[in-house]
Amino acid sequence: MPRGPSRDLCAAGAAVLLVTTAVLVGRHIQGTSRTLFADWPPLLASWNPHLGPGTPAAVLVAIATVAYGPVLAARLPWRALLPLTWGTATAWTCSLALVDGWQRGIAGRLTTPHEYLPVIDRFHDIPAALRGFTGHILLSSPDHWPAHTAGHPPAATLTFVLLDRIGLRGGGWAGMWCVTVGATACVAVLVAVRALTGEGLARGAAPFVVLAPAAVWMGTSADAYFAAVAAWAVALLALAVTGRSPWWAGASGLLFGLACYLSYGLTLVALIAAAVMVLGRHGVRGRPALLVPLLAGLAVVPTAFTLAGFDWWEAYRLLVTRYHQGVGGIRPYGYWVWANLACTVLVTGLATAAGLRRTGAVLVTGLATAAGLRRTGAVLLRRRRGGTGQAAEARLALLVSAALLALLVADLSGMSKAETERIWLPFTLWLLPACAFLTLPQASGSSPKFSTLLEQGGPPRAGGTPVRAWLTAQALLALLLNHLLFTRW
């Protein structure tokens, strides 16, 4: 049985094998039956090797992040690290999008016939549009909505309608809205990890969250915006339960409600929220009144849309019918149920595959330790704010596992056959903190703090594998995907 870093490499190798199998099997199915409706399965993309105006910037951002990211993540004050994270994530996403040029990579993405902007003029009377929204979901209905408008609750389209109303018209503004807001999801993830597990693990995760291959689909996709709303809902909930703040609880509830009216699938973020509540249960027990503003905030958006005449449940029922009326009813479940996981590998990278292996190891160790500690009354998952000990690692493992569970439920539902590289962004972003385990010599309670590893000479090493090697693998994957393929959605 391989040990130490060899197990990480085996996990990465297994991820490569999964992707290779999905590509070969997918190309065979598409070439023979043409039922996948994807030119380069398992991604919705086409083979198109090219360079673009964003290429130099993307390479420079990647090199700078690999070279200086771990050092800055360890040494910068926390309040400086967060804006740097957002700025770097925005630059990384923008530069990757601009590999396809401004029009093709950003301004034109949300103006295609399947997207949101072509229907803005149909919202000149917003209350009437909301009342009649469900009447245009089915393909058989008159003036049926485009695929993405029909596939989401109206808050998604309404966002771009409101941008248009305040003068931010056209695909350029819409695209940059998704990029800049979407990049804040990286900050939200770090805020939540710090609140729930401690600053050491949050700092360890920072370079990986920034340099994720997911940025290929964060620019420019409305799902990046959806992912940011959901991420901040989770982050504010983490702040609420650990700081016992009713204000954060109310804001979190408000964003959770909005998330459910941006995308039906974001209801599964409740599984991540449940993990946050478990990790922050002592804060909730200490101040149970936190549930009042949380639930009050959660009710605001659903109440507003219901009073405006939109029936969420009826719309979802019609969407399921619409999904099976189109290519969703033709794409084979037997392929996509596992090929979607290959998509996840491409979105999160090989470092995340290795990090998830360590996540599993931490959970197993944590369960065994918890069983041994029951006699003494010790609590394994109690909060360890500053360190990266066994308790903190177990807490991070639980958070990441909840995101993985949400992703697997979405997968098994059959409502995510293909295009999961963008649809699952709200879940895949929460797998990236697993890479924090790679900044530790071993996933154990004896691990030193991330900030002290650099002080002891050189970058942190994951049991012999330099962290910068994993970061380089992440960056190379994103650059290759964006320069060899033209992604579509």
Side-chain angles (χ1 to χ4, degrees), residues 225-253:
Y225 157 52
F226 305 158
V229 173
W232 279 110
V234 173
L236 294 181
L237 180 62
L239 292 175
V241 297
T242 55
R244 302 184 182 182
S245 168
W247 298 105
W248 289 136
S252 173

Side-chain angles (χ1 to χ4, degrees), residues 112-119 122 133 136-137 139 143-152 157 322:
T112 65
H114 299 294
E115 285 285 358
Y116 305 93
L117 294 190
V119 302
R122 294 173 62 177
F133 190 88
H136 304 287
I137 293 178
L139 283 175
D143 297 322
H144 61 262
W145 299 119
H148 288 189
T149 302
H152 295 82
T157 305
R322 165 75 180 259

Side-chain angles (χ1 to χ4, degrees), residues 96-119:
L96 288 173
L98 289 173
V99 169
D100 297 322
W102 169 256
Q103 183 60 36
R104 192 182 189 191
I106 294 181
R109 287 286 192 176
L110 297 171
T111 62
T112 65
H114 299 294
E115 285 285 358
Y116 305 93
L117 294 190
V119 302

Side-chain angles (χ1 to χ4, degrees), residues 30-288:
Q30 182 65 7
T32 54
S33 64
R34 305 199 67 80
T35 56
L36 297 185
F37 296 94
D39 294 333
W40 206 87
L43 298 176
L44 188 66
S46 55
W47 182 258
N48 181 27
H50 62 289
L51 299 174
T55 298
V59 173
L60 286 175
V61 172
I63 292 174
T65 306
V66 170
Y68 301 106
V71 177
L72 293 175
R75 295 180 177 175
L76 279 180
W78 180 254
R79 290 187 178 182
L81 179 60
L82 293 183
L84 179 63
T85 296
W86 175 61
T88 308
T90 302
W92 177 234
T93 303
C94 274
S95 59
L96 288 173
L98 289 173
V99 169
D100 297 322
W102 169 256
Q103 183 60 36
R104 192 182 189 191
I106 294 181
R109 287 286 192 176
L110 297 171
T111 62
T112 65
H114 299 294
E115 285 285 358
Y116 305 93
L117 294 190
V119 302
I120 283 180
D121 291 341
R122 294 173 62 177
F123 279 75
H124 61 276
D125 184 343
I126 291 177
L130 292 178
R131 288 193 299 272
F133 190 88
T134 56
H136 304 287
I137 293 178
L138 296 179
L139 283 175
S140 57
S141 61
D143 297 322
H144 61 262
W145 299 119
H148 288 189
T149 302
H152 295 82
T157 305
L158 196 57
T159 298
F160 300 105
V161 172
L162 295 177
L163 285 175
D164 183 82
R165 293 281 178 90
I166 63 175
L168 303 181
R169 299 183 177 87
W173 284 111
M176 289 308 300
W177 165 267
C178 293
V179 169
T180 53
V181 175
T184 68
C186 298
V187 179
V189 170
L190 297 184
V191 167
V193 172
R194 179 178 184 259
L196 296 170
T197 73
E199 194 168 307
L201 287 171
R203 289 178 178 273
F208 292 96
V209 172
V210 167
L211 210 56
V216 173
W217 294 275
M218 297 287 280
T220 305
S221 165
D223 292 88
Y225 157 52
F226 305 158
V229 173
W232 279 110
V234 173
L236 294 181
L237 180 62
L239 292 175
V241 297
T242 55
R244 302 184 182 182
S245 168
W247 298 105
W248 289 136
S252 173
L254 185 65
L255 290 182
F256 272 122
L258 175 60
C260 292
Y261 279 73
L262 290 172
S263 174
Y264 298 102
L266 289 184
T267 53
L268 291 175
V269 175
L271 294 174
I272 306 176
V276 173
M277 295 295 284
V278 169
L279 294 173
R281 62 191 181 280
H282 297 301
V284 177
R285 288 174 183 171
R287 194 172 186 180

